[in-house]
Amino acid sequence: MPSFDLLPGAEQSPVILHVPHSAREIPAEVRAGIVLDDPALERELDHIVDAHTAELAEEAAGLAGTTPWRFVNRLSRLVVDPERFPDEREEMLAVGMGAVYTRTTHQEELRPADTDPEPLIARYFRPYARAMTYAVAERLDAVGRAVIIDVHSYPSEPLPYELHGEGPRPAVCLGTDPFHTPPELVAAAREAFGETGLDSPFSGTYVPLEFYGRDPRVSALMVEIRRDTYMTEPGGPAGPGLNRLARALAALVDAVH
């Protein structure tokens, strides 16, 4: 199966709904490097996967007046995490969760600490980054701007790996970047979702490194949805909250067109 999909939207749409953490799929050759047994791996996936966020983005795209583009990771973030910095800039290295994780959400061993991340970064991380860079460049060429809306979820109770888990945990956390998140994008998200918080318990947003901190035509916002508002935790089915959130996400998409 492909590592990721770029699902076309309207040619006039600047919006890319980015869904990096929704999948559970791990290729066999990558699974071989993970030390957890199968039941423990399933439990870890329950905790780490942003369950149902691909369905959320798909439903929102169908509801939006102008269809956004969607970039969806089809592999688990336990293969590589495409949103991490691939080098020492990444603060999550402190808990063994850089681009290639060596620790679990509960800080147990996932891979040996001396695992060389480079083969996984070369095979999965860099092609993903190139494709996302291309998707953004294509929106810039087509409409002169790109708006990346990062679609995530997070648990209602902090997990041991969280570096900033002591702060507020609102129904929707908006992650921002001082360069790439204009105030009007935050205002549109607050209008669409209602109860929101800012940069707690997670902050920042994803922009391909070619544009990061350089191109103001690329704006970005991370939408972190607390899981108890739409699903049974951890790793359970979605509930009626998913449809409400899809309508809110569609309203945000329409607001930034």
Side-chain angles (χ1 to χ4, degrees):
M1 67 180 299
S3 297
F4 49 82
D5 282 323
L6 176 60
L7 301 161
E11 189 56 35
Q12 71 271 26
S13 174
V15 179
I16 300 171
L17 297 179
H18 181 222
V19 187
H21 294 158
S22 66
R24 297 176 73 99
E25 183 73 22
I26 301 174
E29 65 273 16
V30 180
R31 171 69 181 95
I34 292 175
V35 304
L36 302 179
D37 63 22
D38 287 348
L41 179 57
E42 288 302 310
R43 286 195 300 274
E44 177 61 14
L45 288 167
D46 285 345
H47 288 296
I48 198 69
V49 169
D50 292 352
H52 314 297
T53 50
E55 297 96 309
L56 172 64
E58 181 178 11
E59 186 174 345
L63 292 169
T66 302
T67 306
W69 296 65
R70 285 179 288 141
F71 196 103
V72 183
N73 190 4
R74 297 303 184 189
L75 297 180
S76 167
R77 64 196 292 191
L78 299 184
V79 179
V80 295
D81 190 330
E83 295 216 309
R84 303 290 197 237
F85 287 111
D87 52 36
E88 67 284 345
R89 286 174 292 178
E90 180 50 61
E91 70 168 357
M92 296 302 289
L93 285 170
V95 289
M97 298 176 85
V100 175
Y101 296 179
T102 58
R103 310 295 290 183
T104 70
T105 51
H106 289 76
Q107 291 299 277
E108 296 159 353
E109 185 181 38
L110 180 76
R111 293 182 175 93
D114 62 355
T115 296
D116 178 7
E118 180 53 34
L120 290 173
I121 287 175
R123 171 69 182 84
Y124 297 105
F125 185 97
R126 291 197 185 99
Y128 189 107
R130 283 195 297 269
M132 188 63 182
T133 301
Y134 172 80
V136 172
E138 198 176 45
R139 294 299 84 216
L140 292 176
D141 288 345
V143 293
R145 64 190 181 108
V147 183
I148 302 167
I149 300 175
D150 230 4
V151 185
H152 291 260
S153 71
Y154 75 100
S156 56
E157 296 295 329
L159 290 169
Y161 83 94
E162 293 183 26
L163 294 177
H164 311 289
E166 69 285 346
R169 302 179 85 81
V172 176
C173 162
L174 303 176
T176 68
D177 177 87
F179 186 88
H180 290 284
T181 310
E184 57 269 25
L185 183 53
V186 174
R190 285 182 155 153
E191 176 71 21
F193 285 100
E195 183 199 339
T196 59
L198 212 58
D199 291 316
S200 174
F202 298 98
S203 63
T205 189
Y206 176 78
V207 174
L209 291 176
E210 183 171 317
F211 306 103
Y212 183 66
R214 301 176 184 180
D215 195 332
R217 297 176 301 163
V218 180
S219 55
L221 180 75
M222 179 170 67
V223 176
E224 286 268 7
I225 301 163
R226 204 179 64 221
R227 291 176 190 155
D228 64 337
T229 65
Y230 75 92
M231 64 174 283
T232 302
E233 298 181 87
L242 191 72
N243 181 258
R244 175 183 56 80
L245 288 161
R247 292 194 302 271
L249 183 56
L252 173 59
V253 169
D254 287 338
V256 299
H257 276 129

